[in-house]
Amino acid sequence: RSSSPQGECSRKCYDIFVLETVCVAWFSFEFLLRSIQAENKCAFLKTPLNIIDILAILPFYISLIVDVVSTKNSSKPGGGAGNKYLERVGLVLRFLRALRILYVMRLARHSLGLQTLGLTVRRCTREFGLLLLFLCVAMALFSPLVYLAESELGAKQEFTSVPTSYWWAVISMTTVGYGDMVPRSIPGQVVALSSILSGILLMAFPVTSIFHTFSRSYSELKEQQQRVASRQVRQRQENIELPGGDGTRGLGATFPPSAGEQEGLPLVDQ
């Protein structure tokens, strides 16, 4: 952690570290409670959301351990070899720290949209494979063509080889168009127009099926959420009515479920 002469950056890093420590401690405590409550520990650990939780929590502890070990080695007189080894481990450590972004995926427990997205990706693996296949075939077709057109008739040599033309084919077919490689000749522009049109058409075929799967998955998850909410409302009403007999049954009728309970509660993570 770098620091300025006034210590402003070090103070800021310290505050961020404290905030991250509190959040990771809360996430770890919550994950530990859910793991203790789970009946089948193996099935619990194999759940995709729980795997994401593990990948998001572990980098913090690994980084903390490595920092402590590096501090101890640097304080020792003969700790030069250990420091060199820790410097090599630093690349892996930076990658693990980048996994903190997986904290965002925890929102999938409470977001119907993210749950629908994950279910759609799991159900549309074949469609995504077709999309990748179409893209690769078109890339293999248009990359040599644009390289040939530009190398023979181009006014500017931007397409130096066929492998570099693959990058141009990807950004052209996906209609991104960074503009770092642009065909200058008329034949090259004709090839570019053909690749753009074919990219739009080829990507539209699987996307239609993916959209229908997304819509169907959203409807299924929404109905499941409503069933869980109605089941929870009935259980609450039964818990109110059973212990006290007729009097409590009348009391339960006097206080109906709230509007939020009638509309549906979010899915409870099992």
Side-chain angles (χ1 to χ4, degrees), residues 128-145:
F128 284 116
L130 288 175
L131 183 61
L132 183 61
L133 177 63
F134 293 162
L135 186 62
C136 291
V137 171
M139 284 169 49
L141 176 63
F142 290 108
S143 297
L145 290 179

Side-chain angles (χ1 to χ4, degrees), residues 154-165:
K156 189 176 181 180
Q157 298 293 332
E158 294 181 352
F159 298 84
T160 57
S161 63
V162 175
T164 58
S165 302

